[in-house]
Amino acid sequence: MKIDFDVIVIGAGFAGMYMLHRLRGLGFGCRVIEAGSGVGGTWYWNRYPGARCDVESVQYSYQFDPRLEQEWEWTERYATQPEILKYANHVADRYDLRRDIRFDTRVTRATFDDKDSVWTVETDRSDRLVARFVVTALGCLSAPNTPKIPGLADFTGPTYHTGNWPHEGVDFTGKTVGVIGTGSSAIQSIPIMAQQARHLTVFQRTANYTIPAHNAPLDPHYVAQVKANYRTMRKRAKTLPAGIDLAINMASAIETPAEERQRLYQERWDYGGLGFMASFSDLLLNDESNRTAQDFVKAKIRQIVEDPETAKALAPKNIIGCKRLCVDTGYWATFNRPNVTLVDISDEPIETITPTGLRAKGRDYTFDCLVLATGFDAMTGALLRIDIRGRGGVSLKDKWSEGPKTYLGLAMAGFPKLFTITGPGSPSVLTNMLPSIEQHVDWIADCLAALRATGATVIEAEPRAEEEWVGHVGSIADNTLRSTCSSWYVGANIPGKPRVFMPYIGGLPAYIERCEAVVARGYEGFTLA
Ligand code: N01
């Protein structure tokens, strides 16, 4: 059988790009297949106004090449989508990656051939490529969720999804706009859309917590300091659960005197960003502790939002940090603008989209444009929209009918020679994605090199190891408050999706330790042939 490539990598975001770089360095013949016309993945598609990373730019970057981190200059504390995309393009140029990437091509099917032990990968451009190995680098939040609201197709104006935003941008000046959703994407874009639009109506099903970003241009002295100490900072970050170098206060919120607790929350609030959840170590373990943080943020909402009814509707009812915490610039203050209206639809779903707007709670709303800030079919959606067939023609869809099952988020029983970067069961979305991606890519690259060195040609996760890992991921999730609400972490945003807490919540250090132990024990839990 003719083999086209040693490895086919699906996706040219940060995971696919670094995978290509590593595999090339090891001398493997590799092809990356990418649906978009350029590199960048998430940052290629999510071009909605205000899109930025909520991890600080000096940390949300590759660390595999110290020269790269020294030469690249981030300009703001939180990088904008255009700046991150520029960085992705810089990396593609610097390492000459594009010549092995096939753009504008979507993988439709990947089939394992039991007899020859190879994968055949098919695309929407009629390619049929045979590879020894397949690595999926699809991203965790890359399959946009368009909710099945009746009448959606009947709306006569333009409809935009934040996760698939027009490349030429959208000018809302003078327009009336309806926004469905109040997750991170909405919270980032609403303040900017409100500045342009004649009127903005926000339809909120679940109120969300957000912490101010206090974004600002980066101080050159701070940057110089980071660059001088980059290795130490990266190393320290890897010892922390989220892989982000930030100070975690190990005290319990509930055991801290009220006045001191308030002072610490205020300090974190003034600093801004995701570090708010590290104010105390038990915010996601203890209901009562969590309530102290909820109360702090709710008091802020009441202070900022002038209309008491609107402030009440904006106050989240969930546990803080249960859904992914948001980071914003002027979100709540936006609801003080005369051209912004909040419609609380928490008790009744939208009845229907109409040709001129939508009907909710018996009332018709009209607008020129509709924005769906409705998120993603997270972690599994991008994998399942490809028809992946493992041993005996078994589909991944069938294997995952009761929820995703993987070994370490990296591989699956019944799907030999297929690796998933940041798959379900990996820490991924609960961590800084860049170091998590690099750890996976390095693990996979080293594994392929080790197989080659030993003459093994097949590697497959053992069902028992997979079962044990799935059980472990589930049982540690049950110990935290994070698994208790209806978030995309548990697939609750997609009707019919099995409710399973998908990412590994044990933290990056424990995960790295486990991955290293698996290798040290001769790829424990894998069958090599
Ligand atoms: O998506 P979401 P997102 N009717 O799922 C609502 C990352 N990210 O794109 O909560 C009415 O959070 C839905 O309501 P509910 C980050 O990890 C990072 O905003 O399901 N409403 C919710 O309000 C983030 O967590 C960054 O009740 C409907 C919203 O739509 C993840 O991506 C920036 C509905 C979807 O919110 C996803 O964020 C952006 C319906 N039928 C994103 N269906 C940064 O780095 C859905 N909704 C800062």
Side-chain angles (χ1 to χ4, degrees):
M1 167 167 272
K2 181 178 166 290
I3 310 273
D4 296 299
F5 299 100
D6 292 320
V7 189
I8 287 181
V9 178
I10 313 176
F14 283 119
M17 285 200 292
Y18 180 45
M19 192 77 245
L20 170 60
H21 178 65
R22 277 298 321 266
L23 291 171
R24 257 197 206 159
L26 290 165
F28 288 108
C30 185
R31 165 64 50 90
V32 180
I33 302 176
E34 165 59 50
S37 304
V39 297
T42 286
W43 304 103
Y44 174 87
W45 299 105
N46 285 262
R47 300 179 188 227
Y48 60 83
R52 308 178 175 269
C53 188
D54 55 6
V55 173
E56 296 192 18
S57 51
V58 294
Q59 299 203 53
Y60 189 82
S61 52
Y62 284 125
Q63 54 191 284
F64 67 84
D65 185 346
R67 287 167 305 176
L68 173 65
E69 63 189 9
Q70 290 298 326
E71 72 197 19
W72 182 261
E73 295 293 336
W74 295 107
T75 63
E76 294 181 57
R77 178 175 169 190
Y78 296 99
T80 59
Q81 173 272 331
E83 191 169 38
I84 302 173
L85 190 58
K86 198 169 150 202
Y87 174 70
N89 278 291
H90 168 72
V91 171
D93 293 337
R94 195 188 188 289
Y95 301 96
D96 187 22
L97 299 178
R98 285 176 223 281
R99 67 184 155 90
D100 285 324
I101 305 175
R102 182 159 162 82
F103 292 107
D104 299 307
T105 308
R106 190 174 282 281
V107 171
T108 51
R109 187 177 299 159
T111 314
F112 185 69
D113 178 331
D114 287 277
K115 188 167 76 59
D116 292 319
S117 221
V118 293
W119 283 91
T120 301
V121 173
E122 294 168 69
T123 76
D124 62 356
R125 290 173 70 174
S126 306
D127 302 293
R128 244 182 104 79
L129 302 168
V130 176
R132 293 181 216 279
F133 294 91
V134 168
V135 179
T136 65
L138 295 164
C140 296
L141 295 154
S142 48
N145 166 40
T146 299
K148 292 185 176 52
I149 304 173
L152 193 54
D154 301 338
F155 183 63
T156 51
T159 302
Y160 307 104
H161 194 294
T162 46
N164 191 4
W165 201 259
H167 288 196
E168 63 280 14
V170 181
D171 182 6
F172 292 110
T173 306
K175 305 274 190 220
T176 52
V177 183
V179 182
I180 301 177
T182 47
S184 291
S185 304
I187 284 176
Q188 288 187 330
S189 55
I190 282 169
I192 295 174
M193 294 192 288
Q195 285 165 22
Q196 295 176 355
R198 180 148 58 85
H199 197 92
L200 188 77
T201 309
V202 178
F203 297 90
Q204 172 189 271
R205 186 165 73 180
T206 308
N208 233 324
Y209 292 97
T210 176
I211 304 295
H214 299 309
N215 184 46
L218 278 175
D219 170 4
H221 296 293
Y222 168 73
V223 175
Q225 211 184 348
V226 169
K227 288 192 172 182
N229 297 292
Y230 239 140
R231 307 297 353 129
T232 316
M233 187 185 95
R234 303 287 205 185
K235 211 167 151 193
R236 195 167 49 229
K238 279 196 186 141
T239 66
L240 297 166
I244 303 175
D245 184 28
L246 56 79
I248 302 173
N249 176 15
M250 292 314 292
S252 151
I254 205 66
E255 286 167 13
T256 301
E259 210 173 301
E260 172 65 357
R261 192 168 58 217
Q262 191 71 6
R263 190 188 67 73
L264 288 170
Y265 281 138
Q266 186 63 46
E267 206 174 277
R268 298 268 173 167
W269 178 270
D270 292 341
Y271 183 74
L274 295 175
F276 184 82
M277 287 309 291
S279 300
F280 298 98
S281 63
D282 59 349
L283 293 183
L284 287 169
L285 298 173
N286 178 321
D287 246 323
E288 241 183 297
S289 291
N290 191 281
R291 209 162 310 126
T292 65
Q294 293 174 35
D295 290 346
F296 178 87
V297 178
K298 285 180 194 172
K300 291 290 179 198
I301 301 175
R302 288 193 298 273
Q303 268 171 25
I304 298 168
V305 179
E306 289 154 8
D307 172 46
E309 281 307 307
T310 307
K312 196 170 160 205
L314 284 169
K317 297 183 177 66
N318 278 327
I319 280 163
I320 185 168
C322 192
K323 283 177 183 255
R324 162 103 176 195
L325 190 66
C326 304
V327 176
D328 74 284
T329 299
Y331 177 65
W332 283 314
T334 296
F335 292 91
N336 294 333
R337 296 177 65 103
N339 69 332
V340 176
T341 308
L342 180 73
V343 180
D344 181 353
I345 50 163
S346 57
D347 48 356
E348 257 181 69
I350 293 166
E351 285 166 49
T352 182
I353 307 283
T354 63
T356 54
L358 66 76
R359 189 174 318 123
K361 300 167 102 167
R363 193 181 147 185
D364 280 309
Y365 296 86
T366 59
F367 33 78
D368 302 319
C369 325
L370 174 62
V371 174
L372 299 174
T374 46
F376 303 90
D377 183 353
M379 301 206 76
T380 55
L383 278 153
L384 291 178
R385 66 183 173 178
I386 301 174
D387 183 9
I388 301 179
R389 308 233 162 208
R391 277 196 197 285
V394 171
S395 74
L396 186 60
K397 209 172 187 171
D398 284 345
K399 179 181 168 79
W400 283 3
S401 61
E402 289 167 7
K405 292 186 172 70
T406 72
Y407 182 35
L408 303 169
L410 275 167
M412 289 166 289
F415 294 75
K417 306 176 80 172
L418 171 78
F419 294 103
T420 50
I421 302 176
T422 64
S426 74
S428 53
V429 290
L430 300 177
T431 65
N432 184 0
M433 286 301 284
L434 266 285
S436 283
I437 282 171
E438 284 187 276
Q439 186 267 345
H440 269 200
V441 168
D442 286 335
W443 193 96
I444 294 166
D446 294 346
C447 172
L448 291 179
L451 292 181
R452 186 174 57 186
T454 58
T457 55
V458 182
I459 180 164
E460 181 176 356
E462 290 167 5
R464 201 172 30 82
E466 180 178 271
E467 209 175 296
E468 180 270 329
W469 183 251
V470 171
H472 176 58
V473 170
S475 68
I476 52 172
D478 288 346
N479 294 333
T480 86
L481 299 174
R482 227 169 190 162
S483 57
T484 58
C485 67
S486 294
S487 66
W488 58 257
Y489 292 131
V490 297
N493 61 330
I494 305 294
K497 191 164 171 171
R499 191 181 171 108
V500 171
F501 193 85
M502 295 181 284
Y504 171 70
I505 205 169
L508 194 58
Y511 178 78
I512 294 175
E513 201 180 306
R514 177 68 189 259
C515 288
E516 287 175 355
V518 163
V519 176
R521 296 184 199 126
Y523 288 95
E524 185 183 50
F526 287 95
T527 301
L528 273 56

